[in-house]
């Protein structure tokens, strides 16, 4: 998958994640893993493993939320006819730690993965809890470094 940057990146967006929408014909999505961890350089990150069947032309939305609301939204790309696993990581802080998505607590964090057609209609959406210990991060995110690039899993 390499590195993918978003068409839309928002922190503390007012829009809520879509409700779950069952997969239409030609689609399948399982979020096999959503966990807090670290990149190879030690930067806090969110790791995501999807098992997917997709049709061409949809954009992918990712929503990171806690029990207080949405922390970040990522949207971009264009799906292809694909069957298999996709694994990627999103940095939650800058390499030097000066910018971060503020995370605290130990539970209540969720990831929503949704796909929208070319008109913006949600064609598939699933939400699941995020596993593992929550990195205790403070500060403000920076669009240039935090939650921007989808980095392929090592």
């Amino acid at each position: 998958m390499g590195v993918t940057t978003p068409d839309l990146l928002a922190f503390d967006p007012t829009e809520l994640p879509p409700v779950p929408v069952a997969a239409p014909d030609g689609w399948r999505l399982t979020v096999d893993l959503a966990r807090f961890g670290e990149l190879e350089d030690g930067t806090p990150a969110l790791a995501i493993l999807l098992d997917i069947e997709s049709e061409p032309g949809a954009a992918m939305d990712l929503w990171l939320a806690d029990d207080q609301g949405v922390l970040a939204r990522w949207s971009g790309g264009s799906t292809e006819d694909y069957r298999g696993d996709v694994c990627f990581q999103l940095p939650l802080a800058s390499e030097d730690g000066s910018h971060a998505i503020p995370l605290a607590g130990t539970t209540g964090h969720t990831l929503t993965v949704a796909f929208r057609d070319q008109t913006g209609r949600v064609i598939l959406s699933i939400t699941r809890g995020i596993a593992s210990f929550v990195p205790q991060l403070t500060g403000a995110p920076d669009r240039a470094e935090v939650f921007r690039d989808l980095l392929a899993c090592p």
Side-chain angles (χ1 to χ4, degrees):
M1 185 169 173
V3 176
T4 303
T5 56
D7 296 324
L8 180 144
L9 178 60
F11 299 105
D12 296 319
T14 56
E15 186 180 2
L16 296 175
V19 298
V21 175
D25 288 343
W27 285 83
R28 178 179 46 79
L29 176 64
T30 304
V31 180
D32 290 333
L33 176 71
R35 71 177 298 275
F36 293 118
E38 294 181 343
L39 301 177
E40 290 178 336
D41 66 3
T43 301
L46 176 61
I48 301 166
L49 174 62
L50 306 176
D51 180 18
I52 186 170
E53 288 184 28
S54 63
E55 298 289 327
M60 182 173 69
D61 286 352
L62 302 171
W63 302 77
L64 173 62
D66 64 13
D67 54 4
Q68 302 297 308
V70 178
L71 300 169
R73 177 183 175 198
W74 185 104
S75 182
S78 180
T79 56
E80 299 293 331
D81 185 15
Y82 182 80
R83 310 288 181 264
D85 292 328
V86 176
C87 184
F88 56 89
Q89 302 172 93
L90 282 159
L92 298 171
S94 58
E95 283 186 46
D96 65 5
S98 62
H99 298 282
I101 294 176
L103 295 173
T106 57
T107 61
H109 290 84
T110 60
L111 173 72
T112 299
V113 180
F115 290 91
R116 296 179 186 264
D117 66 15
Q118 294 159 341
T119 68
R121 179 180 63 91
V122 175
I123 57 174
L124 170 59
S125 177
I126 188 169
T127 298
R128 72 162 286 162
I130 299 174
S132 70
F133 294 106
V134 178
Q136 303 300 299
L137 302 173
T138 59
D142 174 17
R143 290 176 185 268
E145 298 185 60
V146 178
F147 212 73
R148 187 191 70 187
D149 296 331
L150 296 185
L151 306 170
C153 294

